[in-house]
Amino acid sequence: MAVKGLGQLDQVYDGSNLRIGIVYARWNRTIIDALVEGAIKRLQSLGVKEENIILESVPGSFELPWGVERFVQKEFEKGHRLDAVIPIGVLIKGSTMHFEYISDSTTNAIMSLSSKLNTPVIFGLLTCLTEEQALARAGIDEGKTMHNHGEDWGAAAVEMAVKFGY
Ligand SMILES: O=Nc1c(NC[C@H](O)[C@H](O)[C@H](O)CO)[nH]c(=O)[nH]c1=O
């Protein structure tokens, strides 16, 4: 018996009527730029118009939750509802516990945003132990060992907006 919905696992969703926000942190900029580019590329491949992809930045990943919350509210107040938002940040472990505290607090805060804003908020935070891990997940390491995770986030934003949006 076919399990209902499984066939949707690789379904392509039409983003042509969607307005998507991307809020990126400005730490580890080379990696961030690749991830943002990957998300935009996938959004456009799913039909999201260039003028409907709205970019904003914050100083670092710690500012992402509040920045995303205010970004969505300000766009709504301007009459431009966002159908989904992709926060993008790159945290790389240093020699202190800073990484752990920001990773944990920011992840939990981002997780609660979708319900709080009634808008799909995608988890676009890389929490890496080494720079090499982050480069690989942005698809820009030497050996091109992984795909650009920004593309996954773009696809998730379109799917969540089409399936559960207004
Ligand atoms: O420390 N490492 C990182 C970082 N620190 C800054 C922090 O997010 C915040 O902007 C400041 O503490 C000011 O509030 N922000 C990142 O996005 N990635 C890191 O790897």
Side-chain angles (χ1 to χ4, degrees), residues 23-25 27-36 60-62 64 86-94 98-100 102-104 106-107 110 122-141 146-153:
V23 181
Y24 61 90
W27 270 63
N28 303 306
R29 197 58 199 265
T30 307
I31 301 166
I32 287 284
D33 289 351
L35 292 166
V36 171
S61 293
F62 188 80
L64 281 171
I86 310 170
I88 295 182
V90 175
L91 285 159
I92 299 175
K93 171 94 178 121
H98 199 217
F99 166 84
E100 283 82 354
I102 299 180
S103 299
D104 190 44
T106 302
T107 298
I110 288 174
I122 304 306
F123 184 62
L125 191 65
L126 289 187
T127 54
C128 298
L129 299 177
T130 64
E131 186 178 22
E132 187 56 31
Q133 283 181 353
L135 291 165
R137 284 153 185 78
I140 53 174
D141 60 323
M146 298 178 95
H147 70 280
N148 183 330
H149 285 35
E151 296 178 12
D152 301 338
W153 304 337

Side-chain angles (χ1 to χ4, degrees), residues 2-93:
V3 177
K4 186 177 176 329
L6 271 188
Q8 290 179 322
L9 285 183
D10 52 4
Q11 181 166 339
V12 175
Y13 295 90
D14 175 13
S16 54
N17 296 320
L18 298 180
R19 208 160 173 278
I20 307 286
I22 296 177
V23 181
Y24 61 90
R26 295 192 300 270
W27 270 63
N28 303 306
R29 197 58 199 265
T30 307
I31 301 166
I32 287 284
D33 289 351
L35 292 166
V36 171
E37 235 170 83
I40 291 171
K41 185 178 131 198
R42 179 58 63 85
L43 288 172
Q44 291 182 320
S45 75
L46 292 170
V48 182
K49 299 176 183 67
E50 190 172 347
E51 62 269 23
N52 288 337
I53 301 173
I54 299 75
L55 294 182
E56 185 50 277
S57 72
V58 292
S61 293
F62 188 80
E63 281 76 37
L64 281 171
W66 172 248
V68 165
E69 183 170 345
R70 289 299 297 139
F71 180 55
V72 170
Q73 289 168 343
K74 288 163 83 83
E75 283 296 302
F76 186 79
E77 285 154 15
K78 287 190 287 185
H80 307 146
R81 181 186 176 86
L82 290 169
D83 297 296
V85 193
I86 310 170
I88 295 182
V90 175
L91 285 159
I92 299 175
K93 171 94 178 121

